[in-house]
Amino acid sequence: MLYCPHLDSSLKESRAQRRTVLQVQELDPYNPHRYLPLNDTSGLRNENYAALKDAPKFINPQDYADTPDPEVKTYTLDSKGLKNQRSIQIYQSKSKNSQQDYITAIFFDGKQYADLLQVPKALDILVEQGKLPPIQAVFVSAPNDTERPKELTPNPEFTAFFAQELLPWIDRHLPNKRNKKKTVLLGSSLGGLSSAYLALQYPKEISHAVPLSGSFWWQADQVDKPNGMSKIIRSQKTSPEQHWFISANSYENSRNNNDLSILETAPIVAADLKAQGHDVTYKSYAGGHSYAVWQVALQDALRHFFAD
């Protein structure tokens, strides 16, 4: 039987079923375009990718094999509040103008962005080409796959860790002083949900937020309408203006045949933020729930915010 929930509402797929499928999926042997070599042992999720001729232009580090990789320093942060530890990677671009403040970009699911997508190299090239001002990036990873969904859904424990441990740690270790008016919080999927939530909680620390395919299907309670994040936004009385770049992709429709798909909830969240007085850009890309799209969208977002 074909899975066509838009034709037959009785066909549904649970989240557990979807995760089972992801665990057994294999690379396409007929598509040579892959993020990682077949013998890679990093543990990152490899993917095939393909782009049609009218796909958005972006810096793909794999097209710059002769360009050296920039230095990325790796640290370990031990959390007293969460009682765990995580890897954090920090990158800094070169500066051609000593008078320019550095942008600070903080990524959730950091290892995927730093190692799989080679974001530091892409940023290095964008800065060198004059398409972005100097930038320093912080790549924050979850302790493991089990802790990730616990941490990256709105909760008081991770919120406290973010404000009381992570941000102070970042400020101590960054090579350049962080300009709080040029601090971007980025994430995709659950990382996008957490980026949106934490940016709203700490607008004096986070000036720009980039939820890519944010998991806005999340609800703290099943009665939260139209979704959990919209309920949070609408309950806020006032908030300092922030700059937002929100994306969703054309194939991110609901697997459960309800109104809580990423594609349906993302524009609602964008509209709610705009109604609160925020500067909001919403963009939909052709593609699925994939780093292949997010690597394009994150570059679009940074250039939208900061390109001269």
Side-chain angles (χ1 to χ4, degrees), residues 242-276:
Q242 292 168 298
H243 306 281
W244 293 75
F245 188 102
I246 297 175
S247 74
N249 304 330
S250 57
Y251 296 113
E252 291 179 318
N253 50 354
S254 174
R255 293 174 178 270
N256 292 320
N257 193 42
N258 57 31
D259 295 331
L260 292 174
S261 74
I262 290 172
L263 188 60
E264 290 172 309
T265 54
I268 296 173
V269 169
D272 288 333
L273 288 165
K274 197 166 186 176
Q276 291 277 23

Side-chain angles (χ1 to χ4, degrees), residues 40-85:
D40 180 78
T41 59
S42 66
L44 298 175
R45 189 182 83 185
N46 204 351
E47 290 187 22
N48 294 108
Y49 64 91
L52 302 182
K53 64 181 181 66
D54 292 329
K57 303 301 180 185
F58 71 103
I59 296 297
N60 184 350
Q62 296 193 17
D63 296 336
Y64 294 81
D66 295 333
T67 301
D69 295 335
E71 180 183 13
V72 178
K73 295 182 178 180
T74 301
Y75 303 84
T76 299
L77 169 59
D78 290 292
S79 169
K80 293 181 180 179
L82 296 177
K83 296 180 175 58
N84 60 27
Q85 65 176 210

Side-chain angles (χ1 to χ4, degrees), residues 103 123 126-135 302-303 306-307:
I103 302 162
L123 296 178
L126 286 166
V127 173
E128 181 63 29
Q129 293 180 351
K131 295 176 181 176
L132 280 180
I135 186 169
L302 293 174
R303 293 179 65 178
F306 302 111

Side-chain angles (χ1 to χ4, degrees), residues 126-157:
L126 286 166
V127 173
E128 181 63 29
Q129 293 180 351
K131 295 176 181 176
L132 280 180
I135 186 169
Q136 53 192 358
V138 183
F139 301 92
V140 183
S141 297
N144 52 58
D145 290 341
T146 301
E147 293 299 312
R148 178 179 178 268
K150 298 176 183 177
E151 292 188 347
L152 296 183
T153 48
N155 65 83
E157 293 78 18

